[in-house]
Amino acid sequence: MFLFLSFMRDGILLAFVYSVLQVLRKLIPHARIARAAEDILFGIGCGVYLFCRLYRDNNGIVRFYVIAAAICGIILWKMTAEPLFIGLLLRILEFPVKCLRFLIKRLLFLQRSCRILIIRGWKNMGRSDSSRIFADERIRKREKIRQQAKQNSEK
């Protein structure tokens, strides 16, 4: 009886860890191949964990009721606590993740803006007209086209 309850607890633990993985997937979008890799690694990890537990607690003897206990634990978690747990964890972690995304977005914008200003300033260094540093891309393209047209007309 102790072995059955022990492996039932392990099934609940494995289902709990997978629920955390699901929450992280909802908060941080993954590519399909990344999700597949996570699932494969999780499955391998679960197999190794259950095998080690079987080896330690049952002298390596695989019995059907031990596997059934782990499956019962997983089903128990999925039917009772998982919906509440996922909803609660999503609500708790949603705000910090949104703040982090906002900060990263702003920092990347500033980094790109500073890089553009530095590059434009470097290209226009030595020119007397410093207002060209802040000219937008369309004006530079028009000037380039005009210069090419002048060169073509001179030929």
Side-chain angles (χ1 to χ4, degrees):
M1 184 68 171
F2 173 74
L3 194 61
F4 184 83
L5 293 176
S6 175
F7 274 88
M8 192 173 199
R9 180 199 66 216
D10 288 341
I12 292 172
L13 176 70
L14 294 175
F16 169 79
V17 172
Y18 193 74
S19 296
V20 172
L21 185 64
Q22 284 179 326
V23 168
L24 291 176
R25 283 182 185 168
K26 287 182 181 180
L27 291 174
I28 304 167
H30 291 69
R32 181 178 281 178
I33 192 150
R35 287 183 296 202
E38 287 173 355
D39 284 339
I40 289 171
L41 290 175
F42 180 77
I44 291 171
C46 288
V48 168
Y49 175 75
L50 287 176
F51 177 77
C52 290
R53 290 271 299 144
L54 270 171
Y55 187 76
R56 188 184 70 190
D57 293 346
N58 205 22
N59 297 326
I61 301 170
V62 178
R63 300 188 187 268
F64 178 72
Y65 72 90
V66 172
I67 296 170
I71 292 171
C72 286
I74 291 170
I75 291 171
L76 182 68
W77 172 261
K78 292 278 185 191
M79 295 184 106
T80 58
E82 185 185 46
L84 296 172
F85 174 76
I86 287 180
L88 182 66
L89 197 59
L90 275 173
R91 286 187 184 158
I92 290 171
L93 294 178
E94 193 172 28
F95 180 72
V97 168
K98 281 185 179 180
C99 290
L100 190 62
R101 282 183 185 162
F102 178 78
L103 286 173
I104 289 172
K105 187 176 177 181
R106 294 296 174 221
L107 289 173
L108 288 175
F109 174 75
L110 288 174
Q111 184 244 353
R112 283 189 215 118
S113 298
C114 290
R115 185 183 319 152
I116 290 170
L117 288 176
I118 290 170
I119 290 171
R120 285 182 181 172
W122 184 263
K123 285 181 180 177
N124 293 320
M125 191 189 250
R127 294 184 184 169
S128 61
D129 187 13
S130 62
S131 64
R132 295 184 132 232
I133 294 173
F134 300 104
D136 67 1
E137 195 68 30
R138 287 181 284 148
I139 294 173
R140 283 196 275 137
K141 285 182 182 179
R142 285 183 201 151
E143 289 177 358
K144 198 175 203 180
I145 292 170
R146 287 180 192 154
Q147 289 174 358
Q148 288 174 352
K150 283 182 184 178
Q151 289 174 353
N152 289 338
S153 65
E154 290 174 1
K155 291 180 183 181

CSV table of all heavy atoms in Angstrom, one decimal, residues 104-134:
chain,number,residue,atom,x,y,z
A,104,ILE,N,12.0,45.2,-22.3
A,104,ILE,CA,12.9,44.8,-23.3
A,104,ILE,C,12.6,45.5,-24.6
A,104,ILE,O,13.5,45.9,-25.4
A,104,ILE,CB,12.8,43.2,-23.5
A,104,ILE,CG1,13.4,42.5,-22.3
A,104,ILE,CG2,13.4,42.7,-24.8
A,104,ILE,CD1,13.2,41.0,-22.2
A,105,LYS,N,11.3,45.7,-24.9
A,105,LYS,CA,10.9,46.4,-26.1
A,105,LYS,C,11.5,47.8,-26.1
A,105,LYS,O,12.0,48.3,-27.2
A,105,LYS,CB,9.4,46.4,-26.2
A,105,LYS,CG,8.8,46.9,-27.5
A,105,LYS,CD,7.3,46.7,-27.5
A,105,LYS,CE,6.7,47.3,-28.8
A,105,LYS,NZ,5.3,47.2,-28.7
A,106,ARG,N,11.3,48.5,-25.0
A,106,ARG,CA,11.8,49.9,-24.9
A,106,ARG,C,13.3,49.9,-25.0
A,106,ARG,O,13.9,50.8,-25.7
A,106,ARG,CB,11.3,50.5,-23.6
A,106,ARG,CG,9.9,50.7,-23.6
A,106,ARG,CD,9.4,51.7,-24.7
A,106,ARG,NE,8.0,51.7,-24.7
A,106,ARG,CZ,7.2,51.7,-25.8
A,106,ARG,NH1,7.8,51.7,-26.9
A,106,ARG,NH2,5.9,51.8,-25.7
A,107,LEU,N,14.0,49.0,-24.4
A,107,LEU,CA,15.5,49.0,-24.4
A,107,LEU,C,16.0,48.7,-25.8
A,107,LEU,O,17.0,49.4,-26.3
A,107,LEU,CB,16.0,48.0,-23.4
A,107,LEU,CG,15.9,48.4,-21.9
A,107,LEU,CD1,16.3,47.3,-21.0
A,107,LEU,CD2,16.7,49.7,-21.6
A,108,LEU,N,15.4,47.8,-26.5
A,108,LEU,CA,15.8,47.5,-27.9
A,108,LEU,C,15.5,48.7,-28.8
A,108,LEU,O,16.3,49.0,-29.7
A,108,LEU,CB,15.1,46.3,-28.4
A,108,LEU,CG,15.5,45.0,-27.8
A,108,LEU,CD1,14.7,43.8,-28.3
A,108,LEU,CD2,17.0,44.7,-28.1
A,109,PHE,N,14.4,49.4,-28.6
A,109,PHE,CA,14.1,50.6,-29.4
A,109,PHE,C,15.2,51.7,-29.1
A,109,PHE,O,15.7,52.3,-30.1
A,109,PHE,CB,12.7,51.2,-29.0
A,109,PHE,CG,12.4,52.5,-29.7
A,109,PHE,CD1,12.1,52.5,-31.0
A,109,PHE,CD2,12.5,53.7,-29.0
A,109,PHE,CE1,11.8,53.7,-31.6
A,109,PHE,CE2,12.2,54.9,-29.6
A,109,PHE,CZ,11.9,54.9,-30.9
A,110,LEU,N,15.5,51.9,-27.9
A,110,LEU,CA,16.5,52.9,-27.6
A,110,LEU,C,17.9,52.5,-28.2
A,110,LEU,O,18.6,53.4,-28.7
A,110,LEU,CB,16.7,53.1,-26.1
A,110,LEU,CG,15.5,53.8,-25.4
A,110,LEU,CD1,15.7,53.8,-23.9
A,110,LEU,CD2,15.4,55.2,-25.9
A,111,GLN,N,18.2,51.2,-28.1
A,111,GLN,CA,19.5,50.8,-28.6
A,111,GLN,C,19.5,51.0,-30.1
A,111,GLN,O,20.5,51.5,-30.7
A,111,GLN,CB,19.7,49.3,-28.3
A,111,GLN,CG,21.0,48.7,-28.7
A,111,GLN,CD,20.9,47.7,-29.7
A,111,GLN,OE1,19.8,47.2,-30.1
A,111,GLN,NE2,22.0,47.3,-30.3
A,112,ARG,N,18.4,50.7,-30.8
A,112,ARG,CA,18.4,50.9,-32.3
A,112,ARG,C,18.4,52.4,-32.6
A,112,ARG,O,19.1,52.8,-33.5
A,112,ARG,CB,17.1,50.3,-32.9
A,112,ARG,CG,17.2,48.8,-33.0
A,112,ARG,CD,16.0,48.3,-33.8
A,112,ARG,NE,15.6,47.0,-33.2
A,112,ARG,CZ,14.5,46.7,-32.6
A,112,ARG,NH1,13.5,47.6,-32.5
A,112,ARG,NH2,14.2,45.5,-32.1
A,113,SER,N,17.7,53.2,-31.9
A,113,SER,CA,17.7,54.6,-32.1
A,113,SER,C,19.1,55.2,-31.9
A,113,SER,O,19.5,56.0,-32.7
A,113,SER,CB,16.7,55.3,-31.2
A,113,SER,OG,15.4,54.9,-31.4
A,114,CYS,N,19.8,54.8,-30.9
A,114,CYS,CA,21.1,55.4,-30.6
A,114,CYS,C,22.1,54.9,-31.7
A,114,CYS,O,22.9,55.7,-32.1
A,114,CYS,CB,21.6,55.0,-29.2
A,114,CYS,SG,20.7,55.8,-27.9
A,115,ARG,N,22.0,53.7,-32.1
A,115,ARG,CA,22.8,53.2,-33.2
A,115,ARG,C,22.6,54.0,-34.5
A,115,ARG,O,23.6,54.4,-35.1
A,115,ARG,CB,22.6,51.7,-33.4
A,115,ARG,CG,23.6,51.2,-34.4
A,115,ARG,CD,23.4,49.7,-34.8
A,115,ARG,NE,23.0,48.9,-33.7
A,115,ARG,CZ,22.3,47.8,-33.8
A,115,ARG,NH1,21.8,47.4,-34.9
A,115,ARG,NH2,22.0,47.1,-32.7
A,116,ILE,N,21.4,54.3,-34.8
A,116,ILE,CA,21.1,55.1,-36.0
A,116,ILE,C,21.7,56.5,-35.9
A,116,ILE,O,22.3,57.0,-36.8
A,116,ILE,CB,19.6,55.1,-36.3
A,116,ILE,CG1,19.1,53.7,-36.7
A,116,ILE,CG2,19.2,56.1,-37.3
A,116,ILE,CD1,17.6,53.6,-36.7
A,117,LEU,N,21.5,57.1,-34.8
A,117,LEU,CA,22.0,58.5,-34.6
A,117,LEU,C,23.5,58.5,-34.7
A,117,LEU,O,24.1,59.4,-35.3
A,117,LEU,CB,21.6,59.1,-33.3
A,117,LEU,CG,20.1,59.5,-33.2
A,117,LEU,CD1,19.8,59.9,-31.8
A,117,LEU,CD2,19.8,60.5,-34.2
A,118,ILE,N,24.2,57.5,-34.1
A,118,ILE,CA,25.6,57.4,-34.1
A,118,ILE,C,26.1,57.2,-35.5
A,118,ILE,O,27.0,57.9,-36.0
A,118,ILE,CB,26.1,56.3,-33.2
A,118,ILE,CG1,25.9,56.8,-31.7
A,118,ILE,CG2,27.6,56.0,-33.4
A,118,ILE,CD1,26.1,55.7,-30.7
A,119,ILE,N,25.5,56.3,-36.2
A,119,ILE,CA,25.9,56.0,-37.6
A,119,ILE,C,25.7,57.2,-38.5
A,119,ILE,O,26.5,57.6,-39.3
A,119,ILE,CB,25.2,54.8,-38.2
A,119,ILE,CG1,25.6,53.5,-37.5
A,119,ILE,CG2,25.4,54.7,-39.7
A,119,ILE,CD1,24.8,52.3,-37.8
A,120,ARG,N,24.5,57.9,-38.4
A,120,ARG,CA,24.3,59.1,-39.2
A,120,ARG,C,25.3,60.2,-38.9
A,120,ARG,O,25.7,60.9,-39.7
A,120,ARG,CB,22.8,59.6,-39.0
A,120,ARG,CG,21.8,58.8,-39.7
A,120,ARG,CD,20.5,59.3,-39.4
A,120,ARG,NE,19.4,58.5,-40.0
A,120,ARG,CZ,18.2,58.7,-39.9
A,120,ARG,NH1,17.7,59.7,-39.1
A,120,ARG,NH2,17.3,57.9,-40.5
A,121,GLY,N,25.5,60.4,-37.6
A,121,GLY,CA,26.5,61.4,-37.2
A,121,GLY,C,27.9,61.1,-37.7
A,121,GLY,O,28.6,62.0,-38.1
A,122,TRP,N,28.3,59.9,-37.7
A,122,TRP,CA,29.6,59.5,-38.2
A,122,TRP,C,29.7,59.7,-39.7
A,122,TRP,O,30.7,60.2,-40.2
A,122,TRP,CB,29.8,58.0,-37.9
A,122,TRP,CG,31.2,57.6,-38.2
A,122,TRP,CD1,31.6,56.9,-39.4
A,122,TRP,CD2,32.4,57.8,-37.5
A,122,TRP,NE1,32.9,56.7,-39.4
A,122,TRP,CE2,33.5,57.2,-38.2
A,122,TRP,CE3,32.7,58.4,-36.3
A,122,TRP,CZ2,34.8,57.2,-37.8
A,122,TRP,CZ3,34.0,58.4,-35.8
A,122,TRP,CH2,35.0,57.8,-36.6
A,123,LYS,N,28.7,59.4,-40.4
A,123,LYS,CA,28.7,59.6,-41.9
A,123,LYS,C,28.8,61.1,-42.2
A,123,LYS,O,29.4,61.5,-43.2
A,123,LYS,CB,27.5,59.0,-42.5
A,123,LYS,CG,27.6,57.5,-42.6
A,123,LYS,CD,26.3,56.9,-43.3
A,123,LYS,CE,26.4,55.4,-43.4
A,123,LYS,NZ,25.2,54.9,-44.0
A,124,ASN,N,28.1,61.9,-41.5
A,124,ASN,CA,28.0,63.3,-41.8
A,124,ASN,C,29.1,64.2,-41.0
A,124,ASN,O,29.0,65.4,-41.1
A,124,ASN,CB,26.6,63.9,-41.5
A,124,ASN,CG,25.6,63.3,-42.4
A,124,ASN,OD1,25.8,63.1,-43.5
A,124,ASN,ND2,24.5,62.9,-41.8
A,125,MET,N,30.0,63.5,-40.4
A,125,MET,CA,31.0,64.2,-39.6
A,125,MET,C,31.9,65.0,-40.6
A,125,MET,O,32.3,64.6,-41.7
A,125,MET,CB,31.9,63.3,-38.9
A,125,MET,CG,32.8,63.9,-37.9
A,125,MET,SD,33.9,62.7,-37.2
A,125,MET,CE,33.4,62.5,-35.6
A,126,GLY,N,32.2,66.3,-40.3
A,126,GLY,CA,33.0,67.1,-41.1
A,126,GLY,C,32.2,68.0,-42.1
A,126,GLY,O,32.7,68.9,-42.7
A,127,ARG,N,30.9,67.7,-42.2
A,127,ARG,CA,30.1,68.5,-43.1
A,127,ARG,C,29.6,69.7,-42.2
A,127,ARG,O,29.3,69.6,-41.0
A,127,ARG,CB,28.9,67.7,-43.6
A,127,ARG,CG,29.3,66.6,-44.5
A,127,ARG,CD,28.1,65.9,-45.1
A,127,ARG,NE,28.5,64.8,-46.0
A,127,ARG,CZ,27.7,63.9,-46.4
A,127,ARG,NH1,26.4,64.0,-46.1
A,127,ARG,NH2,28.1,63.0,-47.2
A,128,SER,N,29.4,70.8,-42.9
A,128,SER,CA,29.0,72.0,-42.1
A,128,SER,C,27.5,72.0,-41.8
A,128,SER,O,27.1,72.5,-40.8
A,128,SER,CB,29.3,73.2,-43.0
A,128,SER,OG,28.5,73.2,-44.2
A,129,ASP,N,26.7,71.3,-42.6
A,129,ASP,CA,25.3,71.3,-42.3
A,129,ASP,C,25.0,70.1,-41.3
A,129,ASP,O,24.8,69.0,-41.7
A,129,ASP,CB,24.5,71.1,-43.6
A,129,ASP,CG,23.0,71.2,-43.4
A,129,ASP,OD1,22.6,71.7,-42.4
A,129,ASP,OD2,22.3,70.9,-44.4
A,130,SER,N,24.9,70.4,-40.1
A,130,SER,CA,24.6,69.4,-39.1
A,130,SER,C,23.2,68.9,-39.0
A,130,SER,O,22.9,67.9,-38.4
A,130,SER,CB,25.0,69.8,-37.7
A,130,SER,OG,24.2,71.0,-37.3
A,131,SER,N,22.3,69.6,-39.7
A,131,SER,CA,20.9,69.2,-39.7
A,131,SER,C,20.7,68.0,-40.5
A,131,SER,O,19.7,67.3,-40.4
A,131,SER,CB,20.0,70.4,-40.3
A,131,SER,OG,20.3,70.6,-41.6
A,132,ARG,N,21.7,67.6,-41.4
A,132,ARG,CA,21.5,66.4,-42.2
A,132,ARG,C,21.6,65.2,-41.4
A,132,ARG,O,21.2,64.1,-41.8
A,132,ARG,CB,22.6,66.4,-43.3
A,132,ARG,CG,22.5,67.5,-44.3
A,132,ARG,CD,23.5,67.3,-45.4
A,132,ARG,NE,22.8,67.5,-46.6
A,132,ARG,CZ,22.8,66.7,-47.6
A,132,ARG,NH1,23.6,65.6,-47.6
A,132,ARG,NH2,22.1,66.9,-48.7
A,133,ILE,N,22.1,65.3,-40.2
A,133,ILE,CA,22.2,64.1,-39.3
A,133,ILE,C,20.8,63.5,-39.0
A,133,ILE,O,20.6,62.3,-39.0
A,133,ILE,CB,22.9,64.5,-37.9
A,133,ILE,CG1,24.3,64.9,-38.2
A,133,ILE,CG2,22.8,63.4,-36.9
A,133,ILE,CD1,25.0,65.4,-37.0
A,134,PHE,N,19.8,64.4,-38.9
A,134,PHE,CA,18.5,64.0,-38.5
A,134,PHE,C,17.6,63.9,-39.7
A,134,PHE,O,16.4,63.7,-39.6
A,134,PHE,CB,17.9,65.0,-37.5
A,134,PHE,CG,18.7,65.0,-36.3
A,134,PHE,CD1,19.5,66.1,-36.0
A,134,PHE,CD2,18.7,64.0,-35.3
A,134,PHE,CE1,20.3,66.2,-34.9
A,134,PHE,CE2,19.4,64.1,-34.2
A,134,PHE,CZ,20.2,65.1,-34.0
